[in-house]
Every structure is written in C-alpha cells, then in structure tokens.
C-alpha cells in the first residue's frame, strides 16, 4: 500500500543499489562460468543480473517459490547440507541478502557458507540492524557490524569491507512510516477519536514525505553524517582465507 511504500523508500532503494553495485563490481574480475550461490534466494530478484554476466546461478532456500525456480531446498544452518548443494560446490561467489536475521544458528551457517566457498572466494552479506519484526516467529537477530566480523573470523572468513548502510534520519523515517502503517489498523469507536486519529495520520504522512525530500536532497543527512550508532543495514563482504 501507499504507507508501506512511504516506509520502504528509506530502505529499499539504497539496499537494492548496494546489492546491484556489488554484483556489477565483480563483473570485471570474474569471467563467464563463475559459480554463484544465492542463499535465501526467495523470488530471486538478482538472478537475471547475475546470469547476464555469463555466470552460473544456483538458488538455495528453505521453501520453493511460486515460479518453482529455487534449485536446491534446505537450511543453511543445517547439520548436514543437501548433497546436490555440496556436489555443486565450491562456489566463487555467495550472496546472502536480508536472510541472516532469520537464521537461528549463526555458527553452523557461517561454517557451512565457508565450506561451500572457494579459497579466496567472496561472501556478500546484508542483514538489518534497525527494522521491525517480520516473518515472525522466524526473526531472531539484529546483528551489529562487530558481530558479523567476529563470527566470520571463526570460520576463516576475513572481513574485507563493511558499510553501515542508511543514516539516523533513515531510521527515523522507517520508524515513523511503521507507526503510520500500524495506525491503519486502529478503529476508534468514538467519533472525536476517529477525527483525532485522522489528523495524526495526516500530520505524520506530511512529516514523512517532507523528511524523505530532505534526506533525498542530502542536506539533512549531511548534518548527521557523523552519527553511525543508528543505521538501517549491515552490508559486508568477506573473503575466505
């Protein structure tokens, strides 16, 4: 809906751009035939871009999507991975985008990811630091960048690059947008309360749109660019070895 779109405009464009830019940055370094594993691939929004580079794509997820294009089914934190996935390894590149918050056992997951990756291969991970509960009850973590680095090191995954994506103002926009979205489910019985609710929604919607305009122009974010204690998502690249 409109409110959900208003909320996500503080997240999705930056996140989508970060993932696409990472894939494109690999294009000059990795030849045709490069093997790519997409863990938690879902509807596979980046499959076309990956295959356009001439790379071999395998999608891995816990359940099949509507188009039935997930290649291998299973859990990345399982004690034993599916034989079909093991037989396809090692992979040159592995992407895990907005998945790790839903993975209960990080130690097993990172151990498995490392085992599937070639020596000097790259693992690209994005996961939220500031985001509402979603896909409950399978929503377990909001890791810091330090947690990602610490767990990766245990399994020979060296952190090569990390970005705290999104600013404090993006977090504010997400929070206000989430509040506004939830207000749609409030149904006051009293007429005056309904009027008051409508005024609140109108005010918050105007505030949200205005905040996004300021963020997009960069002036507001420039004032708070030094604040990195609140951010939207971790965007990390690991190298095995």
């Amino acid at each position: 809906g409109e409110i959900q779109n208003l909320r996500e405009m503080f997240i999705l464009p930056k996140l989508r751009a970060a993932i696409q830019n990472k894939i494109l940055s690999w294009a000059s370094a990795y030849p045709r035939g490069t093997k790519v594993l997409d863990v938690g691939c879902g509807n596979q929004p980046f499959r076309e871009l990956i295959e356009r580079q001439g790379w071999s794509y395998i999608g891995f997820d816990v359940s099949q999507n509507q188009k039935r294009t997930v290649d291998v089914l299973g859990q990345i934190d399982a004690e034993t991975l599916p034989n079909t996935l093991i037989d396809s390894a090692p992979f040159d590149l592995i992407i895990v985008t907005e998945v790790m918050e839903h993975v209960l056992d990080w130690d097993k997951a990172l151990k498995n990811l490392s085992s599937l990756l070639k020596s000097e291969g790259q693992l690209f991970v994005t996961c939220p630091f500031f985001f509402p509960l979603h896909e409950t009850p399978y929503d377990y973590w909001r890791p810091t960048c330090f947690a990602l680095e610490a767990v990766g090191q245990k399994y020979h995954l060296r952190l090569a690059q990390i970005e705290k994506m999104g600013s404090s103002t993006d977090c504010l926009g997400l929070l206000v947008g989430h509040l506004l979205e939830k207000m749609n489910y409030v149904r006051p019985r009293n007429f005056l309360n309904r009027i008051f609710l409508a005024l609140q929604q109108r005010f918050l919607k105007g505030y949200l749109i205005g905040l996004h305009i300021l963020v997009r122009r960069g002036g507001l974010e420039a004032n708070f660019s030094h604040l990195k204690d609140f951010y939207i998502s971790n965007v990390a690249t690991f190298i095995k070895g």
Side-chain angles (χ1 to χ4, degrees):
E2 181 190 10
I3 300 303
Q4 185 176 1
N5 291 337
L6 286 173
R7 183 188 76 178
E8 291 182 349
M9 66 189 177
F10 290 90
I11 315 165
L12 289 185
K14 289 182 179 180
L15 186 60
R16 190 180 296 113
I19 299 168
Q20 289 175 341
N21 288 341
K22 173 53 68 173
I23 293 169
L24 292 173
S25 75
W26 284 332
S28 59
Y30 288 89
R32 296 179 68 84
T34 290
K35 294 167 65 176
V36 182
L37 175 64
D38 187 356
V39 175
C41 59
N43 292 321
Q44 304 174 339
F46 304 103
R47 180 170 193 154
E48 182 183 354
L49 179 60
I50 289 169
E51 291 184 331
R52 201 186 306 155
Q53 314 309 316
W55 299 339
S56 171
Y57 174 97
I58 290 183
F60 178 58
D61 212 332
V62 294
S63 59
Q64 189 58 262
N65 60 28
Q66 286 188 340
K67 294 182 178 179
R68 306 195 65 80
T69 55
V70 178
D71 302 290
V72 184
L73 297 178
Q75 293 181 218
I76 193 60
D77 59 348
E79 194 69 45
T80 305
L81 292 171
N83 288 332
T84 48
L85 187 61
I86 295 171
D87 292 342
S88 300
F91 294 91
D92 301 284
L93 305 169
I94 299 178
I95 64 172
V96 189
T97 57
E98 303 303 286
V99 171
M100 291 302 291
E101 71 270 26
H102 304 296
V103 174
L104 183 58
D105 193 329
W106 271 41
D107 277 290
K108 283 182 184 173
L110 270 295
K111 182 180 179 181
N112 286 337
L113 287 166
S114 182
S115 72
L116 292 168
L117 194 61
K118 261 184 190 175
S119 179
E120 296 301 313
Q122 294 196 32
L123 168 66
F124 180 67
V125 177
T126 73
C127 56
F129 173 69
F130 185 88
F131 198 78
L133 286 171
H134 59 290
E135 297 183 29
T136 56
Y138 308 107
D139 190 2
Y140 305 116
W141 312 111
R142 293 296 180 273
T144 65
C145 55
F146 308 109
L148 281 166
E149 182 174 15
V151 180
Q153 282 178 344
K154 293 167 67 174
Y155 301 103
H156 311 291
L157 295 168
R158 173 172 51 86
L159 186 64
Q161 183 182 25
I162 192 159
E163 176 190 357
K164 297 176 182 177
M165 192 208 75
S167 64
S168 297
T169 47
D170 288 313
C171 293
L172 179 60
L174 172 60
L175 182 60
V176 173
H178 181 68
L179 176 62
L180 191 54
E181 183 182 358
K182 294 304 177 184
M183 290 173 78
N184 284 332
Y185 299 100
V186 178
R187 297 287 183 268
R189 294 183 179 181
N190 183 281
F191 175 75
L192 288 177
N193 286 344
R194 289 200 297 271
I195 295 296
F196 186 53
L197 177 65
L199 290 173
Q200 286 178 312
Q201 289 175 310
R202 187 171 182 177
F203 169 78
L204 287 175
K205 184 177 178 181
Y207 175 82
L208 194 63
I209 293 171
L211 180 64
H212 184 252
I213 291 171
L214 289 172
V215 168
R216 191 174 57 192
R217 290 179 177 175
L220 186 61
E221 287 192 303
N223 296 330
F224 301 102
S225 60
H226 62 290
L227 297 177
K228 284 297 182 182
D229 44 356
F230 275 106
Y231 60 97
I232 294 289
S233 189
N234 300 282
V235 179
T237 303
F238 297 87
I239 298 176
K240 182 178 176 180

